[in-house]
PDB file of all heavy atoms in Angstrom:
ATOM      1  N   VAL A  31       3.185   1.495 -11.213  1.00 97.00           N
ATOM      2  CA  VAL A  31       3.173   0.021 -11.139  1.00 97.00           C
ATOM      3  C   VAL A  31       4.472  -0.528 -11.755  1.00 97.00           C
ATOM      4  O   VAL A  31       5.110  -1.444 -11.195  1.00 97.00           O
ATOM      5  CB  VAL A  31       1.935  -0.563 -11.834  1.00 97.00           C
ATOM      6  CG1 VAL A  31       2.044  -2.078 -12.006  1.00 97.00           C
ATOM      7  CG2 VAL A  31       0.677  -0.204 -11.045  1.00 97.00           C
ATOM      8  N   LYS A  32       4.918   0.020 -12.871  1.00 97.00           N
ATOM      9  CA  LYS A  32       6.166  -0.422 -13.487  1.00 97.00           C
ATOM     10  C   LYS A  32       7.363  -0.168 -12.578  1.00 97.00           C
ATOM     11  O   LYS A  32       8.274  -1.001 -12.489  1.00 97.00           O
ATOM     12  CB  LYS A  32       6.366   0.266 -14.841  1.00 97.00           C
ATOM     13  CG  LYS A  32       5.426  -0.248 -15.921  1.00 97.00           C
ATOM     14  CD  LYS A  32       5.612   0.482 -17.220  1.00 97.00           C
ATOM     15  CE  LYS A  32       4.627  -0.007 -18.272  1.00 97.00           C
ATOM     16  NZ  LYS A  32       4.772   0.718 -19.540  1.00 97.00           N
ATOM     17  N   GLN A  33       7.359   0.967 -11.894  1.00 97.00           N
ATOM     18  CA  GLN A  33       8.449   1.265 -10.951  1.00 97.00           C
ATOM     19  C   GLN A  33       8.428   0.313  -9.763  1.00 97.00           C
ATOM     20  O   GLN A  33       9.460  -0.184  -9.338  1.00 97.00           O
ATOM     21  CB  GLN A  33       8.355   2.720 -10.456  1.00 97.00           C
ATOM     22  CG  GLN A  33       8.738   3.735 -11.516  1.00 97.00           C
ATOM     23  CD  GLN A  33       8.573   5.161 -11.003  1.00 97.00           C
ATOM     24  OE1 GLN A  33       7.483   5.562 -10.605  1.00 97.00           O
ATOM     25  NE2 GLN A  33       9.658   5.889 -10.984  1.00 97.00           N
ATOM     26  N   LEU A  34       7.225   0.042  -9.229  1.00 98.00           N
ATOM     27  CA  LEU A  34       7.097  -0.872  -8.114  1.00 98.00           C
ATOM     28  C   LEU A  34       7.581  -2.276  -8.503  1.00 98.00           C
ATOM     29  O   LEU A  34       8.231  -2.971  -7.709  1.00 98.00           O
ATOM     30  CB  LEU A  34       5.652  -0.932  -7.617  1.00 98.00           C
ATOM     31  CG  LEU A  34       5.141   0.333  -6.957  1.00 98.00           C
ATOM     32  CD1 LEU A  34       3.620   0.246  -6.750  1.00 98.00           C
ATOM     33  CD2 LEU A  34       5.858   0.619  -5.651  1.00 98.00           C
ATOM     34  N   ASP A  35       7.295  -2.697  -9.725  1.00 97.00           N
ATOM     35  CA  ASP A  35       7.733  -4.025 -10.207  1.00 97.00           C
ATOM     36  C   ASP A  35       9.247  -4.172 -10.218  1.00 97.00           C
ATOM     37  O   ASP A  35       9.757  -5.286 -10.203  1.00 97.00           O
ATOM     38  CB  ASP A  35       7.188  -4.296 -11.612  1.00 97.00           C
ATOM     39  CG  ASP A  35       5.725  -4.695 -11.641  1.00 97.00           C
ATOM     40  OD1 ASP A  35       5.202  -5.110 -10.582  1.00 97.00           O
ATOM     41  OD2 ASP A  35       5.104  -4.587 -12.705  1.00 97.00           O
ATOM     42  N   LYS A  36       9.985  -3.088 -10.241  1.00 97.00           N
ATOM     43  CA  LYS A  36      11.446  -3.146 -10.256  1.00 97.00           C
ATOM     44  C   LYS A  36      12.031  -3.382  -8.866  1.00 97.00           C
ATOM     45  O   LYS A  36      13.223  -3.678  -8.739  1.00 97.00           O
ATOM     46  CB  LYS A  36      12.025  -1.842 -10.804  1.00 97.00           C
ATOM     47  CG  LYS A  36      11.732  -1.587 -12.256  1.00 97.00           C
ATOM     48  CD  LYS A  36      12.305  -0.263 -12.693  1.00 97.00           C
ATOM     49  CE  LYS A  36      11.965   0.034 -14.142  1.00 97.00           C
ATOM     50  NZ  LYS A  36      12.475   1.352 -14.538  1.00 97.00           N
ATOM     51  N   TYR A  37      11.226  -3.225  -7.824  1.00 97.00           N
ATOM     52  CA  TYR A  37      11.698  -3.387  -6.448  1.00 97.00           C
ATOM     53  C   TYR A  37      12.932  -2.513  -6.171  1.00 97.00           C
ATOM     54  O   TYR A  37      13.946  -2.984  -5.683  1.00 97.00           O
ATOM     55  CB  TYR A  37      12.007  -4.858  -6.128  1.00 97.00           C
ATOM     56  CG  TYR A  37      10.768  -5.674  -5.872  1.00 97.00           C
ATOM     57  CD1 TYR A  37      10.242  -6.472  -6.855  1.00 97.00           C
ATOM     58  CD2 TYR A  37      10.144  -5.638  -4.627  1.00 97.00           C
ATOM     59  CE1 TYR A  37       9.078  -7.219  -6.639  1.00 97.00           C
ATOM     60  CE2 TYR A  37       8.997  -6.374  -4.382  1.00 97.00           C
ATOM     61  CZ  TYR A  37       8.480  -7.164  -5.390  1.00 97.00           C
ATOM     62  OH  TYR A  37       7.336  -7.909  -5.170  1.00 97.00           O
ATOM     63  N   GLU A  38      12.796  -1.241  -6.499  1.00 96.00           N
ATOM     64  CA  GLU A  38      13.856  -0.268  -6.193  1.00 96.00           C
ATOM     65  C   GLU A  38      13.218   0.795  -5.265  1.00 96.00           C
ATOM     66  O   GLU A  38      12.007   1.015  -5.299  1.00 96.00           O
ATOM     67  CB  GLU A  38      14.343   0.411  -7.460  1.00 96.00           C
ATOM     68  CG  GLU A  38      15.041  -0.538  -8.415  1.00 96.00           C
ATOM     69  CD  GLU A  38      15.398   0.107  -9.727  1.00 96.00           C
ATOM     70  OE1 GLU A  38      14.913   1.213 -10.036  1.00 96.00           O
ATOM     71  OE2 GLU A  38      16.166  -0.516 -10.486  1.00 96.00           O
ATOM     72  N   ASP A  39      14.056   1.442  -4.466  1.00 96.00           N
ATOM     73  CA  ASP A  39      13.551   2.522  -3.612  1.00 96.00           C
ATOM     74  C   ASP A  39      12.826   3.533  -4.468  1.00 96.00           C
ATOM     75  O   ASP A  39      13.181   3.795  -5.618  1.00 96.00           O
ATOM     76  CB  ASP A  39      14.705   3.200  -2.867  1.00 96.00           C
ATOM     77  CG  ASP A  39      15.246   2.349  -1.738  1.00 96.00           C
ATOM     78  OD1 ASP A  39      14.612   1.349  -1.358  1.00 96.00           O
ATOM     79  OD2 ASP A  39      16.315   2.717  -1.203  1.00 96.00           O
ATOM     80  N   LEU A  40      11.796   4.120  -3.861  1.00 95.00           N
ATOM     81  CA  LEU A  40      10.940   5.060  -4.597  1.00 95.00           C
ATOM     82  C   LEU A  40      10.511   6.172  -3.684  1.00 95.00           C
ATOM     83  O   LEU A  40      10.254   5.965  -2.491  1.00 95.00           O
ATOM     84  CB  LEU A  40       9.734   4.297  -5.121  1.00 95.00           C
ATOM     85  CG  LEU A  40       8.753   4.975  -6.079  1.00 95.00           C
ATOM     86  CD1 LEU A  40       9.452   5.479  -7.329  1.00 95.00           C
ATOM     87  CD2 LEU A  40       7.650   3.987  -6.460  1.00 95.00           C
ATOM     88  N   PHE A  41      10.461   7.372  -4.228  1.00 93.00           N
ATOM     89  CA  PHE A  41      10.079   8.573  -3.496  1.00 93.00           C
ATOM     90  C   PHE A  41       9.029   9.300  -4.334  1.00 93.00           C
ATOM     91  O   PHE A  41       9.293   9.589  -5.501  1.00 93.00           O
ATOM     92  CB  PHE A  41      11.317   9.449  -3.298  1.00 93.00           C
ATOM     93  CG  PHE A  41      11.043  10.839  -2.825  1.00 93.00           C
ATOM     94  CD1 PHE A  41      11.037  11.119  -1.478  1.00 93.00           C
ATOM     95  CD2 PHE A  41      10.817  11.867  -3.721  1.00 93.00           C
ATOM     96  CE1 PHE A  41      10.782  12.406  -1.026  1.00 93.00           C
ATOM     97  CE2 PHE A  41      10.557  13.147  -3.291  1.00 93.00           C
ATOM     98  CZ  PHE A  41      10.552  13.413  -1.928  1.00 93.00           C
ATOM     99  N   VAL A  42       7.862   9.561  -3.765  1.00 91.00           N
ATOM    100  CA  VAL A  42       6.824  10.280  -4.502  1.00 91.00           C
ATOM    101  C   VAL A  42       6.302  11.423  -3.624  1.00 91.00           C
ATOM    102  O   VAL A  42       5.785  11.204  -2.548  1.00 91.00           O
ATOM    103  CB  VAL A  42       5.656   9.349  -4.912  1.00 91.00           C
ATOM    104  CG1 VAL A  42       4.531  10.166  -5.565  1.00 91.00           C
ATOM    105  CG2 VAL A  42       6.124   8.264  -5.862  1.00 91.00           C
ATOM    106  N   ASP A  43       6.505  12.641  -4.117  1.00 88.00           N
ATOM    107  CA  ASP A  43       5.975  13.849  -3.506  1.00 88.00           C
ATOM    108  C   ASP A  43       4.694  14.127  -4.298  1.00 88.00           C
ATOM    109  O   ASP A  43       4.754  14.626  -5.419  1.00 88.00           O
ATOM    110  CB  ASP A  43       6.989  14.963  -3.668  1.00 88.00           C
ATOM    111  CG  ASP A  43       6.651  16.200  -2.877  1.00 88.00           C
ATOM    112  OD1 ASP A  43       5.746  16.154  -2.026  1.00 88.00           O
ATOM    113  OD2 ASP A  43       7.297  17.239  -3.112  1.00 88.00           O
ATOM    114  N   LYS A  44       3.551  13.795  -3.737  1.00 82.00           N
ATOM    115  CA  LYS A  44       2.314  13.749  -4.544  1.00 82.00           C
ATOM    116  C   LYS A  44       1.271  14.783  -4.131  1.00 82.00           C
ATOM    117  O   LYS A  44       1.145  15.102  -2.973  1.00 82.00           O
ATOM    118  CB  LYS A  44       1.705  12.356  -4.427  1.00 82.00           C
ATOM    119  CG  LYS A  44       1.235  12.082  -2.994  1.00 82.00           C
ATOM    120  CD  LYS A  44       0.350  10.865  -2.937  1.00 82.00           C
ATOM    121  CE  LYS A  44      -0.107  10.640  -1.519  1.00 82.00           C
ATOM    122  NZ  LYS A  44      -1.484  10.925  -1.260  1.00 82.00           N
ATOM    123  N   PRO A  45       0.519  15.238  -5.096  1.00 74.00           N
ATOM    124  CA  PRO A  45      -0.673  16.000  -4.754  1.00 74.00           C
ATOM    125  C   PRO A  45      -1.798  15.034  -4.417  1.00 74.00           C
ATOM    126  O   PRO A  45      -1.697  13.824  -4.635  1.00 74.00           O
ATOM    127  CB  PRO A  45      -0.991  16.768  -6.049  1.00 74.00           C
ATOM    128  CG  PRO A  45      -0.395  15.927  -7.135  1.00 74.00           C
ATOM    129  CD  PRO A  45       0.794  15.209  -6.529  1.00 74.00           C
ATOM    130  N   HIS A  46      -2.890  15.550  -3.869  1.00 71.00           N
ATOM    131  CA  HIS A  46      -4.065  14.690  -3.554  1.00 71.00           C
ATOM    132  C   HIS A  46      -4.687  14.196  -4.863  1.00 71.00           C
ATOM    133  O   HIS A  46      -4.510  14.744  -5.925  1.00 71.00           O
ATOM    134  CB  HIS A  46      -5.117  15.512  -2.791  1.00 71.00           C
ATOM    135  CG  HIS A  46      -4.741  15.721  -1.347  1.00 71.00           C
ATOM    136  ND1 HIS A  46      -4.709  14.685  -0.429  1.00 71.00           N
ATOM    137  CD2 HIS A  46      -4.370  16.839  -0.691  1.00 71.00           C
ATOM    138  CE1 HIS A  46      -4.352  15.167   0.726  1.00 71.00           C
ATOM    139  NE2 HIS A  46      -4.136  16.477   0.609  1.00 71.00           N
ATOM    140  N   ASP A  47      -5.445  13.140  -4.746  1.00 74.00           N
ATOM    141  CA  ASP A  47      -6.277  12.571  -5.817  1.00 74.00           C
ATOM    142  C   ASP A  47      -5.526  11.958  -6.992  1.00 74.00           C
ATOM    143  O   ASP A  47      -6.061  11.861  -8.086  1.00 74.00           O
ATOM    144  CB  ASP A  47      -7.256  13.647  -6.360  1.00 74.00           C
ATOM    145  CG  ASP A  47      -8.269  14.056  -5.327  1.00 74.00           C
ATOM    146  OD1 ASP A  47      -8.583  13.231  -4.454  1.00 74.00           O
ATOM    147  OD2 ASP A  47      -8.748  15.209  -5.374  1.00 74.00           O
ATOM    148  N   LEU A  48      -4.305  11.516  -6.780  1.00 83.00           N
ATOM    149  CA  LEU A  48      -3.610  10.761  -7.818  1.00 83.00           C
ATOM    150  C   LEU A  48      -3.784   9.270  -7.653  1.00 83.00           C
ATOM    151  O   LEU A  48      -3.415   8.490  -8.525  1.00 83.00           O
ATOM    152  CB  LEU A  48      -2.105  11.074  -7.843  1.00 83.00           C
ATOM    153  CG  LEU A  48      -1.688  12.363  -8.525  1.00 83.00           C
ATOM    154  CD1 LEU A  48      -0.179  12.497  -8.528  1.00 83.00           C
ATOM    155  CD2 LEU A  48      -2.213  12.445  -9.933  1.00 83.00           C
ATOM    156  N   GLY A  49      -4.356   8.848  -6.521  1.00 91.00           N
ATOM    157  CA  GLY A  49      -4.590   7.430  -6.298  1.00 91.00           C
ATOM    158  C   GLY A  49      -3.327   6.629  -6.047  1.00 91.00           C
ATOM    159  O   GLY A  49      -3.274   5.427  -6.313  1.00 91.00           O
ATOM    160  N   ILE A  50      -2.292   7.301  -5.518  1.00 94.00           N
ATOM    161  CA  ILE A  50      -1.009   6.631  -5.303  1.00 94.00           C
ATOM    162  C   ILE A  50      -1.159   5.513  -4.273  1.00 94.00           C
ATOM    163  O   ILE A  50      -0.697   4.384  -4.487  1.00 94.00           O
ATOM    164  CB  ILE A  50       0.076   7.631  -4.853  1.00 94.00           C
ATOM    165  CG1 ILE A  50       0.288   8.715  -5.930  1.00 94.00           C
ATOM    166  CG2 ILE A  50       1.356   6.900  -4.498  1.00 94.00           C
ATOM    167  CD1 ILE A  50       0.804   8.205  -7.244  1.00 94.00           C
ATOM    168  N   SER A  51      -1.808   5.793  -3.147  1.00 95.00           N
ATOM    169  CA  SER A  51      -1.938   4.733  -2.131  1.00 95.00           C
ATOM    170  C   SER A  51      -2.871   3.626  -2.613  1.00 95.00           C
ATOM    171  O   SER A  51      -2.656   2.450  -2.345  1.00 95.00           O
ATOM    172  CB  SER A  51      -2.373   5.306  -0.775  1.00 95.00           C
ATOM    173  OG  SER A  51      -3.591   5.950  -0.850  1.00 95.00           O
ATOM    174  N   TRP A  52      -3.946   3.961  -3.331  1.00 96.00           N
ATOM    175  CA  TRP A  52      -4.823   2.945  -3.895  1.00 96.00           C
ATOM    176  C   TRP A  52      -4.045   2.050  -4.864  1.00 96.00           C
ATOM    177  O   TRP A  52      -4.166   0.829  -4.861  1.00 96.00           O
ATOM    178  CB  TRP A  52      -6.019   3.582  -4.615  1.00 96.00           C
ATOM    179  CG  TRP A  52      -7.177   3.899  -3.760  1.00 96.00           C
ATOM    180  CD1 TRP A  52      -7.437   5.091  -3.134  1.00 96.00           C
ATOM    181  CD2 TRP A  52      -8.252   3.026  -3.403  1.00 96.00           C
ATOM    182  NE1 TRP A  52      -8.611   5.003  -2.438  1.00 96.00           N
ATOM    183  CE2 TRP A  52      -9.150   3.748  -2.584  1.00 96.00           C
ATOM    184  CE3 TRP A  52      -8.551   1.706  -3.708  1.00 96.00           C
ATOM    185  CZ2 TRP A  52     -10.293   3.208  -2.056  1.00 96.00           C
ATOM    186  CZ3 TRP A  52      -9.729   1.146  -3.195  1.00 96.00           C
ATOM    187  CH2 TRP A  52     -10.575   1.904  -2.366  1.00 96.00           C
ATOM    188  N   THR A  53      -3.254   2.682  -5.731  1.00 97.00           N
ATOM    189  CA  THR A  53      -2.479   1.919  -6.703  1.00 97.00           C
ATOM    190  C   THR A  53      -1.459   1.032  -6.007  1.00 97.00           C
ATOM    191  O   THR A  53      -1.291  -0.135  -6.361  1.00 97.00           O
ATOM    192  CB  THR A  53      -1.756   2.878  -7.676  1.00 97.00           C
ATOM    193  OG1 THR A  53      -2.731   3.737  -8.295  1.00 97.00           O
ATOM    194  CG2 THR A  53      -0.990   2.119  -8.761  1.00 97.00           C
ATOM    195  N   THR A  54      -0.814   1.550  -4.972  1.00 98.00           N
ATOM    196  CA  THR A  54       0.164   0.761  -4.231  1.00 98.00           C
ATOM    197  C   THR A  54      -0.507  -0.423  -3.541  1.00 98.00           C
ATOM    198  O   THR A  54       0.015  -1.547  -3.551  1.00 98.00           O
ATOM    199  CB  THR A  54       0.912   1.644  -3.202  1.00 98.00           C
ATOM    200  OG1 THR A  54       1.508   2.751  -3.902  1.00 98.00           O
ATOM    201  CG2 THR A  54       1.984   0.858  -2.469  1.00 98.00           C
ATOM    202  N   MET A  55      -1.691  -0.204  -2.961  1.00 98.00           N
ATOM    203  CA  MET A  55      -2.393  -1.305  -2.320  1.00 98.00           C
ATOM    204  C   MET A  55      -2.826  -2.351  -3.353  1.00 98.00           C
ATOM    205  O   MET A  55      -2.771  -3.565  -3.109  1.00 98.00           O
ATOM    206  CB  MET A  55      -3.602  -0.818  -1.517  1.00 98.00           C
ATOM    207  CG  MET A  55      -3.249  -0.003  -0.281  1.00 98.00           C
ATOM    208  SD  MET A  55      -2.172  -0.820   0.902  1.00 98.00           S
ATOM    209  CE  MET A  55      -0.583  -0.121   0.440  1.00 98.00           C
ATOM    210  N   GLY A  56      -3.230  -1.900  -4.542  1.00 98.00           N
ATOM    211  CA  GLY A  56      -3.575  -2.852  -5.604  1.00 98.00           C
ATOM    212  C   GLY A  56      -2.363  -3.656  -6.050  1.00 98.00           C
ATOM    213  O   GLY A  56      -2.467  -4.858  -6.282  1.00 98.00           O
ATOM    214  N   TRP A  57      -1.209  -2.990  -6.158  1.00 98.00           N
ATOM    215  CA  TRP A  57       0.026  -3.680  -6.532  1.00 98.00           C
ATOM    216  C   TRP A  57       0.406  -4.699  -5.446  1.00 98.00           C
ATOM    217  O   TRP A  57       0.750  -5.824  -5.764  1.00 98.00           O
ATOM    218  CB  TRP A  57       1.138  -2.667  -6.736  1.00 98.00           C
ATOM    219  CG  TRP A  57       2.452  -3.300  -7.071  1.00 98.00           C
ATOM    220  CD1 TRP A  57       2.879  -3.750  -8.295  1.00 98.00           C
ATOM    221  CD2 TRP A  57       3.508  -3.584  -6.156  1.00 98.00           C
ATOM    222  NE1 TRP A  57       4.133  -4.297  -8.197  1.00 98.00           N
ATOM    223  CE2 TRP A  57       4.547  -4.210  -6.893  1.00 98.00           C
ATOM    224  CE3 TRP A  57       3.688  -3.396  -4.786  1.00 98.00           C
ATOM    225  CZ2 TRP A  57       5.746  -4.625  -6.305  1.00 98.00           C
ATOM    226  CZ3 TRP A  57       4.886  -3.809  -4.221  1.00 98.00           C
ATOM    227  CH2 TRP A  57       5.880  -4.406  -4.942  1.00 98.00           C
TER     228      TRP A  57
END
Side-chain angles (χ1 to χ4, degrees):
V31 169
K32 288 178 181 179
Q33 288 178 301
L34 292 170
D35 282 341
K36 293 178 183 178
Y37 283 99
E38 296 173 347
D39 286 347
L40 187 57
F41 168 91
V42 175
D43 189 12
K44 65 167 181 108
H46 284 291
D47 294 332
L48 280 183
I50 300 297
S51 60
W52 274 94
T53 304
T54 304
M55 292 304 98
W57 178 82

